[in-house]
Amino acid sequence: MNIGEASLASGVSAKMIRYYEEIGLVRPATRTASNYRIYGEDEVNRLRFVRRSRDLGFSLEETEKLLALWADKERASGEVKKLALDHIAELEEKIASMKAMVATLSELAESCHGDHRPSCPILADLAGSGKRTRAHRN
């Protein structure tokens, strides 16, 4: 199948397929005599794996490690689990950080009158001249 068909079958855009080939995340496709890329089921399955890994928020580096583990039929599943648990911890940190941002912005929005006056605690906080909110101290 050509790159467009591989894109449809894998859910990875043609642009991203080319990029993944360029950085070595996936092997470059074989080429026809007229230099068109040709993909088989193995390549499409690998692209699906990459797409799902990226959908779950794994970095390119982590995805590369997961691909290597997937290809290694002798690997221990504990290695895969460790990568997943490490990623969960990173996601939980990001969630906590985003919750703190929501709390800060909620507090600032609540203190803003939202009327015709130019005084705005949101802008004052962004400029560093506002009072520090509870979420900033955490």
Side-chain angles (χ1 to χ4, degrees), residues 12-82:
V12 178
S13 72
K15 181 178 179 178
M16 289 307 296
I17 292 172
R18 288 185 200 98
Y19 175 69
Y20 292 153
E21 288 178 357
E22 183 182 313
I23 65 170
L25 190 61
V26 296
R27 290 181 300 276
T30 57
R31 301 273 185 155
T32 65
S34 55
N35 209 29
Y36 287 101
R37 290 174 168 88
I38 298 295
Y39 298 87
E41 281 303 311
D42 288 343
E43 290 86 4
V44 170
N45 286 335
R46 191 169 172 94
L47 289 167
R48 284 184 188 127
F49 186 100
V50 170
R51 186 203 71 234
R52 183 67 177 141
S53 175
R54 300 291 288 150
D55 286 349
L56 290 173
F58 285 101
S59 68
L60 289 173
E61 181 181 285
E62 292 166 328
T63 298
E64 188 172 27
K65 289 177 186 175
L66 288 166
L67 280 166
L69 289 167
W70 184 46
D72 179 4
K73 303 304 179 203
E74 302 298 316
R75 54 93 174 94
S77 64
E79 294 176 65
V80 181
K81 184 174 183 176
K82 181 179 179 340

Side-chain angles (χ1 to χ4, degrees), residues 97 99-105 107-108 121-122 124-138:
S97 176
K99 284 183 177 181
M101 285 187 246
V102 167
T104 298
L105 285 170
E107 188 175 314
L108 289 169
I122 299 167
D125 185 83
L126 292 173
S129 59
K131 68 179 178 102
R132 298 317 253 176
T133 61
R134 178 178 11 96
H136 280 147
R137 290 183 293 248
N138 291 340

Side-chain angles (χ1 to χ4, degrees), residues 87-117:
H87 185 59
I88 289 168
E90 289 172 18
L91 290 172
E92 287 175 341
E93 285 179 26
K94 287 179 184 178
I95 290 167
S97 176
M98 292 179 85
K99 284 183 177 181
M101 285 187 246
V102 167
T104 298
L105 285 170
S106 294
E107 188 175 314
L108 289 169
E110 188 176 309
S111 64
C112 180
H113 291 109
D115 56 16
H116 66 283
R117 293 181 281 182

